[in-house]
Amino acid sequence: MADRRPSGRAAGDRTWRGSAHLAVGCALGFGGLTLLVDWDAGTLTAARALLWVTLSVAVLAMLLPARVTAGPGWLAVRGPLRRRTVRTDALVYVGQYGDVAAHLVLRDTLGGRLELDPGVLHANPLLWHELDTGVRRSVERGTLLRGAEVLTRLGHEIDDTNARAVLHASGLR
C-alpha cells in the first residue's frame, strides 16, 4: 500500500520507548528463566532451547506496544507486523469500544482504518492536538458522519486530566 502521509513534521508517542524497554525486559526475563530452569533440571536440549527462544519472541510480540505518530492531516499506528495510516482531515467514522481496555477505531475516506489506545492520546498532547485538528477539518468538510461526539468526550477527558495535573503541580490541589 502506498504511504499516504503528507510530508511535514511528525509527533510521536513519548512513552513508547519506556514501554518497549519493559516489553523487551519481560521477554528476556521469561526466556532467561525458562532456559535456566530447563538447564537446572537437566532437560535442556537444542530443540527445547529453540522452543523457549521462540516463546520469548512471541511474548515480545504480544507485549510490544504499537508506535503512534501523527502529523498535519494524518495519524499512523505501527505494530510488530504492519503499519496503518488514516487521514485525520478526511475521517468518516470514529468509534470507541470497550471500557477497561478501550480502543478507538478511525476510518477515512480512502479506506484507511486503524485502532488506537486512547491512553496514548492522554499521555501525548501533541498527538492529541494533531488528531483534534484533523477531526475539526473533517467536520468542516462534512466527511465525519459518525463519531464526532466520541472525540469531543475524549477531548474533555484529556483537558480535565491536564488541568488536574497543572493544579497538582502548582500546589493548588
Side-chain angles (χ1 to χ4, degrees), residues 64-153:
L64 191 66
R67 188 168 211 164
V68 181
T69 53
W74 60 271
L75 182 75
V77 175
R78 188 175 71 212
L81 299 178
R82 75 169 99 175
R83 183 170 178 267
R84 298 200 180 243
T85 304
V86 293
R87 295 287 313 195
T88 58
D89 55 1
L91 290 174
V92 294
Y93 173 78
V94 176
Q96 183 171 359
Y97 299 98
D99 293 326
V100 176
H103 62 276
L104 292 174
V105 176
L106 306 172
R107 291 189 182 139
D108 66 13
T109 57
L110 301 172
R113 178 186 185 279
L114 65 78
E115 294 186 20
L116 170 70
D117 178 7
V120 172
L121 300 174
H122 277 273
N124 296 282
L126 292 176
L127 289 175
W128 168 248
H129 173 71
E130 292 293 351
L131 176 59
D132 187 48
T133 302
V135 166
R136 290 176 195 271
R137 286 194 185 112
S138 292
V139 170
E140 288 170 3
R141 293 176 180 168
T143 61
L144 185 57
L145 304 175
R146 292 183 28 207
E149 69 281 349
V150 170
L151 290 175
T152 301
R153 185 175 59 246

Side-chain angles (χ1 to χ4, degrees), residues 9-93:
R9 62 177 168 55
D13 180 1
R14 61 185 180 182
T15 63
W16 182 84
R17 182 169 282 143
S19 298
H21 286 177
L22 179 62
V24 168
C26 289
L28 287 174
F30 173 78
L33 285 174
T34 53
L35 287 169
L36 184 65
V37 167
D38 211 3
W39 175 72
D40 187 48
T43 57
L44 185 62
T45 63
R48 289 176 66 96
L50 180 63
L51 170 71
W52 296 130
V53 170
T54 303
L55 286 176
S56 296
V57 170
V59 166
L60 176 63
M62 287 187 301
L63 295 180
L64 191 66
R67 188 168 211 164
V68 181
T69 53
W74 60 271
L75 182 75
V77 175
R78 188 175 71 212
L81 299 178
R82 75 169 99 175
R83 183 170 178 267
R84 298 200 180 243
T85 304
V86 293
R87 295 287 313 195
T88 58
D89 55 1
L91 290 174
V92 294
Y93 173 78

